[in-house]
Amino acid sequence: MAFGRGGKMDGRRPSSSSSSFCTTTTVVVFVALCLVGAWMMTSSTVFPMEISSNKKPVVKQQPAPVNFGASEDSSSGNVGESSGKFEDTDNNDNTVPEEPNNKEAPEEERFTENTEKPEEKPEEKEQEPPKEREETKDTFDDANGKSEGRSEDVKNEDDGDKSEGKKDDEITNESSDEKPDGERKDDQDEKSEGGDTTKEEQPQIEEKVEENGDKEQNSNSNEVFPDGAQSELLKESNTQNGSFPTQAAESKNEKEVQASSKTSADQTSTSYSWKLCNSSASTDYIPCLDNEKAIKKLRTTKHYEHRERHCPEEPPTCLVPLPEGYKRPIEWPKSRDKVWYSNVPHTKLAEYKGHQNWVKVSGDYLLFPGGGTQFKNGALHYIDTIQQALPDIAWGKRSRVILDVGCGVASFGGYMFDRDVLTMSFAPKDEHEAQVQFALERGIPAISAVMGTKRLPYPSRVFDVIHCARCRVPWHIEGGMLLLELNRLLRPGGYFVWSATPVYQKLAEDVEIWNAMSALTKSMCWKMVSKTKDKLNQVGMAIYQKPMDNSCYEKRSENSPPLCKDSDDANAAWNVPLEACMHKLPVGSTVRGAKWPESWPQRLEKTPFWLNGSQVGVYGKPANEDFEADNAHWKRVVSKSYVNGMGIDWSKVRNVMDMRAVYGGFAAALRDQKVWVMNIVPIDSPDTLPIIYERGLFGMYHDWCQSFSTYPRTYDLLHADHLFSKLKKRCKLMAVFAEVDRVLRPQGKLIVRDTADTINELESMAKSLQWEVRMTYTKGNEGLLCVEKSMWRPKELEAST
């Protein structure tokens, strides 16, 4: 830098008074600037702040000073020694250098290790250019203008232990085009309270982890992104013979059903052209269920083939329009009782089922009294009636995850939350207009599905209870094929609650169905453990229990229904045709299903008994250690970053989806929030969905190169961990992002952890739709992105329609 010269100016001798004054001023200024320059050279690394085009001021979590590890991180793009890990900000005097052979250790084994480094040589630091000072705030604003306090500031390390950031380490906090000068704080005001005038106080991200995987308790700052070692846990190992096959392989090998998608070229352009979808379904468009062209070609609809998935050959890249007058959904738990009519403007159910207390129209609202066909006097009374009829069902303890077949508006599942039970509800998209859409708008889990010709997208032996209240499914026909599908899904020792007219009415048709069901369930070795009638609702129910072992199967006089072949994989579920056979129950004390899981909530944290050291986990460790490390990792990330570090108002979040769940750690870490999480295991990922159910959580299989079986605008938050970079190899990323836009509610959040180039690509797509980029962060080859969907469509898109 060039500063003021000495006493002479332009070769002329100044007067004595002015010369003395100017000389003194110049010297003072020169010394001050030198001190500032020296201070900047030795201060902690800060990251430049980028400003988006969005006008809403949102200040997000700032990064910690970075202490780059001595060993290279081979998976981060080989960016050199200076891009390894976040530094540990505590106990600097006890810093231990990494062993030279650390870089040769498996990436996944470094998850719980201490990631400290020796002091950096002074001469190396002198070569680093000074960084610009960063603007900071003591609070951040969420999308609703509320300010949340940051955690206590942590003092920076001594200057000798600091290192400068590299160009490939970047955090962007998107807020507005330009900050007024009044919002900029002087660096002198941000010094530490201890009086150290050479250090700038920064909120820091601590990632110090003891060898047991626990975060140090004295950490009081927020984690935005894991350090190099911890981020490696989230990368699958290259083990060829892992213990978890993929659902795609299971399904293809079992029934030779295609589970692959056409490989498409990556979307590399930063310019995206969007248009609105042109479908008769309009604002309720579900591409795989509203494919009119494919449905017209069906030869028969006898088995509800027209209600099954028929996905377009080319995934759509169009956007679903918003309903006129759409409003932000009412928050849970009020949403269970009422929703905005303008968000789901359908009245058929109110007209058809109004007398049964399904749904009513009242002014601007749709009201849900909590009733149904079988429980007109309220779901809670009906739920308690089941408990009284069979105390062993033990809602919320023994029975945690249940499947509700033909759910209607899902009031049963909605009130099951009061009993600490998680319900997977499903119903077809049929003449009962928008029943699943009503459920999701209310904040109740549900998907659009039908029991037709294919298996449901769940693994075998995972549901504690299956419930059917007057769902009118013909269980007894065609060899009991549909009831045998429930048998595949039901956990050994689990219950089937059947509340339907054949149980308690004496009409000729009902009697015929009851007799057929009685014969079928007996031949399946299901034991009827209770049959009762609810005097208040004047309905009855029969409860059956599935056997725990094969002894009954072996004693049957007739092999009807037949046992499935030994080669038949009961877990294969993606596009696998139904068969009228029963799968044998597991044999051996160490096999999944051999015994009941721990009672809730202990089962959430308990490592499943059938995961052991002889199996290879997703990340290359022994499966039980893999599970525990994953669980500890997501607890830390969610508590230190997602809940406290991104400015997300969790009171406005209800429906959550983990688009690439592994062991369900993300969902488990959100247990204390008033949310439910749909855990999706992609068909080309290790099949860990049974583990998720064992924990008392739920989810399903899906191929993200196709649309999901849900209505538009049904999730408040989507989470994707290293999903999109994998999908780029099989399908167009733009089509996947269009599906994200379809599923996500306006003002909903998308959190992505992925490769840096994928993060940049997704950020460009989000900006092209005028979404708000709340946070983007890249380090080496890894990145983190948090964006919020716009409440309105881009003006040019609206104008084009």
Side-chain angles (χ1 to χ4, degrees):
M1 292 186 294
F3 300 103
R5 296 180 180 179
K8 293 184 178 182
M9 294 184 294
D10 299 329
R12 293 175 294 177
R13 185 180 184 89
S15 64
S16 59
S17 59
S18 61
S19 172
S20 175
F21 176 79
C22 293
T23 300
T24 302
T25 303
T26 303
V27 170
V28 171
V29 172
F30 178 82
V31 171
L33 291 175
C34 288
L35 288 175
V36 172
W39 173 80
M40 291 176 65
M41 290 286 289
T42 59
S43 62
S44 298
T45 300
V46 295
F47 296 86
M49 178 179 291
E50 295 181 4
I51 306 300
S52 75
S53 60
N54 298 303
K55 298 299 182 182
K56 183 187 296 183
V58 181
V59 180
K60 270 66 69 175
Q61 176 66 44
Q62 303 294 332
V66 176
N67 190 2
F68 300 106
S71 62
E72 294 184 358
D73 186 351
S74 60
S75 65
S76 63
N78 295 326
V79 293
E81 296 181 359
S82 61
S83 60
K85 303 172 178 65
F86 281 111
E87 66 179 345
D88 296 321
T89 55
D90 294 332
N91 302 325
N92 295 328
D93 294 336
N94 299 325
T95 302
V96 179
E98 294 182 359
E99 294 295 333
N101 61 355
N102 272 4
K103 64 181 179 180
E104 298 178 1
E107 295 171 341
E108 61 278 359
E109 292 182 5
R110 304 206 308 271
F111 173 68
T112 57
E113 293 179 0
N114 221 336
T115 57
E116 303 182 25
K117 70 171 288 295
E119 292 186 5
E120 198 170 332
K121 294 181 180 180
E123 58 267 25
E124 291 178 351
K125 291 170 37 175
E126 292 175 0
Q127 296 174 2
E128 296 290 344
K131 299 293 180 179
E132 295 181 3
R133 288 173 292 180
E134 186 178 4
E135 302 159 353
T136 62
K137 281 191 176 184
D138 295 330
T139 60
F140 57 83
D141 301 329
D142 63 19
N144 304 289
K146 294 176 63 177
S147 295
E148 298 179 16
R150 282 233 181 111
S151 58
E152 289 186 34
D153 292 333
V154 182
K155 291 184 179 181
N156 292 339
E157 293 186 274
D158 291 338
D159 293 343
D161 291 332
K162 298 173 182 175
S163 61
E164 298 295 339
K166 297 297 182 182
K167 291 182 179 180
D168 60 350
D169 302 341
E170 179 181 355
I171 185 165
T172 304
N173 292 322
E174 307 281 354
S175 57
S176 60
D177 287 337
E178 183 176 335
K179 280 192 174 183
D181 293 339
E183 292 187 16
R184 302 188 179 184
K185 294 186 177 182
D186 191 285
D187 292 315
Q188 299 296 327
D189 295 334
E190 296 183 9
K191 295 177 182 177
S192 61
E193 295 179 0
D196 188 347
T197 59
T198 63
K199 301 177 188 177
E200 179 180 355
E201 188 172 347
Q202 287 275 354
Q204 299 185 18
I205 304 125
E206 296 183 9
E207 269 308 306
K208 188 165 184 177
V209 182
E210 299 297 338
E211 291 187 358
N212 62 2
D214 294 330
K215 191 88 159 49
E216 282 194 343
Q217 294 183 357
N218 63 350
S219 172
N220 53 11
S221 59
N222 296 332
E223 183 261 19
V224 170
F225 198 69
D227 67 14
Q230 291 163 10
S231 65
E232 295 314 314
L233 173 74
L234 306 181
K235 296 181 180 178
E236 295 177 20
S237 66
N238 294 322
T239 306
Q240 297 298 319
N241 298 315
S243 299
F244 304 108
T246 66
Q247 178 59 209
E250 289 171 338
S251 298
K252 184 175 181 179
N253 293 339
E254 169 62 22
K255 303 298 179 184
E256 296 184 353
V257 176
Q258 59 82 27
S260 61
S261 299
K262 296 169 62 178
T263 302
S264 302
D266 290 347
Q267 180 74 30
T268 57
S269 174
T270 57
S271 177
Y272 302 96
S273 177
W274 304 97
K275 63 179 181 179
L276 293 181
C277 298
N278 182 19
S279 169
S280 60
S282 186
T283 60
D284 299 333
Y285 180 47
I286 306 177
C288 290
L289 297 182
D290 294 318
N291 188 351
E292 298 176 357
K293 182 178 179 181
I295 292 174
K296 288 179 180 179
K297 294 181 179 180
L298 293 174
R299 296 180 179 179
T300 177
T301 59
K302 177 182 178 181
H303 297 99
Y304 278 77
E305 289 89 345
H306 58 304
R307 305 300 184 193
E308 293 182 320
R309 290 172 59 84
H310 301 282
C311 299
E313 293 183 5
E314 192 70 22
T317 57
C318 59
L319 306 177
V320 177
L322 295 176
E324 184 176 351
Y326 181 86
K327 302 178 182 179
R328 182 163 192 156
I330 297 171
E331 297 173 21
W332 181 268
K334 292 182 179 179
S335 61
R336 184 170 62 181
D337 301 324
K338 64 179 181 179
V339 301
W340 295 113
Y341 172 79
S342 57
N343 289 10
V344 196
H346 302 296
T347 59
K348 283 187 178 180
L349 273 177
E351 297 167 1
Y352 296 163
K353 301 289 185 178
H355 64 289
Q356 295 177 352
N357 277 348
W358 277 35
V359 58
K360 298 179 182 295
V361 180
S362 177
D364 293 337
Y365 300 99
L366 290 165
L367 305 181
F368 300 88
T373 306
Q374 297 298 94
F375 40 91
K376 290 178 287 187
N377 292 291
L380 278 177
H381 170 78
Y382 173 79
I383 291 167
D384 290 340
T385 299
I386 298 173
Q387 174 84 55
Q388 294 166 7
L390 185 67
D392 287 347
I393 208 165
W395 295 132
K397 295 180 180 178
R398 182 185 190 271
S399 300
R400 162 64 181 174
V401 186
I402 70 176
L403 179 69
D404 188 17
V405 182
C407 63
V409 295
S411 289
F412 177 77
Y415 283 90
M416 269 296 188
F417 281 109
D418 290 358
R419 300 294 181 262
D420 226 359
V421 174
L422 199 57
T423 307
M424 173 74 74
S425 301
F426 77 90
K429 186 177 183 181
D430 58 11
E431 62 275 1
H432 283 168
E433 188 182 38
Q435 51 189 332
V436 167
Q437 189 176 20
F438 281 135
L440 289 160
E441 185 71 17
R442 297 172 69 188
I444 302 171
I447 65 165
S448 291
V450 65
M451 298 195 72
T453 66
K454 298 176 182 178
R455 292 179 179 177
L456 292 171
Y458 313 114
S460 68
R461 310 189 305 273
V462 291
F463 288 102
D464 304 333
V465 177
I466 297 179
H467 171 258
C468 169
R470 202 170 184 174
C471 51
R472 295 189 176 277
V473 177
W475 301 116
H476 60 290
I477 67 172
E478 297 185 336
M481 184 180 295
L482 299 182
L483 194 63
L484 290 169
E485 170 63 359
L486 297 191
N487 185 72
R488 181 184 74 88
L489 301 176
L490 191 60
R491 188 183 299 278
Y495 299 107
F496 173 58
V497 180
W498 188 38
S499 171
T501 54
V503 177
Y504 59 93
Q505 289 187 358
K506 299 302 180 181
L507 299 176
E509 181 183 6
D510 291 323
V511 172
E512 181 182 353
I513 294 175
W514 171 256
N515 291 335
M517 276 289 286
S518 297
L520 176 60
T521 52
K522 184 178 181 179
S523 65
M524 292 169 57
C525 294
W526 282 14
K527 179 182 178 182
M528 188 171 67
V529 293
S530 177
K531 183 181 180 183
T532 187
K533 188 172 183 178
D534 178 7
K535 294 181 180 180
L536 179 62
N537 287 313
Q538 292 298 304
V539 299
M541 64 189 70
I543 305 177
Y544 302 88
Q545 185 175 26
K546 181 179 176 178
M548 284 291 297
D549 55 45
N550 294 307
S551 58
C552 177
Y553 297 160
E554 297 167 354
K555 295 177 182 178
R556 293 187 307 165
S557 58
E558 296 182 8
N559 188 30
S560 178
L563 293 176
C564 300
K565 297 178 181 179
D566 292 338
S567 59
D568 192 315
D569 186 355
N571 290 314
W574 189 251
N575 287 338
V576 175
L578 291 174
E579 282 193 322
C581 65
M582 289 191 304
H583 295 89
K584 291 182 180 179
L585 296 177
V587 177
S589 60
T590 60
V591 181
R592 178 174 71 86
K595 63 180 181 180
W596 202 264
E598 297 281 338
S599 295
W600 179 263
Q602 288 77 18
R603 66 192 280 186
L604 182 68
E605 304 291 334
K606 182 78 172 180
T607 303
F609 70 90
W610 38 273
L611 282 185
N612 54 64
S614 65
Q615 300 166 294
V616 180
V618 174
Y619 307 117
K621 288 185 176 182
N624 54 342
E625 296 179 19
D626 231 26
F627 174 89
E628 293 169 359
D630 178 86
N631 195 39
H633 167 78
W634 285 114
K635 277 186 177 180
R636 179 174 55 258
V637 170
V638 168
S639 64
K640 299 299 181 182
S641 177
Y642 293 176
V643 172
N644 296 316
M646 288 187 174
I648 296 175
D649 185 353
W650 285 87
S651 67
K652 292 179 170 57
V653 176
R654 174 62 182 172
N655 304 350
V656 179
M657 179 188 289
D658 191 355
M659 299 177 68
R660 184 178 174 269
V662 180
Y663 297 115
F666 169 71
L670 287 172
R671 179 194 167 192
D672 293 336
Q673 304 298 321
K674 301 298 183 183
V675 303
W676 61 268
V677 181
M678 178 70 77
N679 293 282
I680 302 299
V681 173
I683 62 170
D684 57 344
S685 292
D687 187 3
T688 53
L689 194 51
I691 299 173
I692 292 172
Y693 276 91
E694 193 80 3
R695 304 185 69 176
L697 306 172
F698 67 7
M700 57 186 290
Y701 300 115
H702 184 57
D703 180 359
W704 282 114
C705 289
Q706 301 176 358
S707 76
F708 189 69
S709 293
T710 191
Y711 282 84
R713 307 170 301 280
T714 48
Y715 283 86
D716 300 297
L717 187 145
L718 302 181
H719 179 259
D721 178 33
H722 288 82
L723 169 70
F724 292 96
S725 56
K726 296 178 181 296
L727 289 174
K728 288 197 294 185
K729 302 173 183 178
R730 300 196 300 118
C731 46
K732 292 181 179 179
L733 204 56
M734 187 172 174
V736 182
F737 199 82
E739 177 64 5
V740 167
D741 176 89
R742 189 186 72 86
V743 170
L744 197 60
R745 286 172 169 172
Q747 295 186 317
K749 312 297 189 296
L750 169 67
I751 301 176
V752 181
R753 305 169 81 91
D754 218 310
T755 59
D757 60 334
T758 302
I759 291 294
N760 292 334
E761 193 170 349
L762 293 173
E763 182 181 358
S764 296
M765 291 185 188
K767 287 182 176 179
S768 70
L769 289 174
Q770 298 182 13
W771 288 17
E772 178 189 357
V773 181
R774 300 178 65 88
M775 173 183 289
T776 179
Y777 173 84
T778 57
K779 176 178 175 64
N781 194 39
E782 293 296 312
L784 173 66
L785 176 69
C786 178
V787 292
E788 179 181 297
K789 180 179 175 180
S790 174
M791 188 66 179
W792 313 110
R793 290 300 184 197
K795 292 182 178 180
E796 57 270 21
L797 189 63
E798 295 177 352
S800 66
T801 60

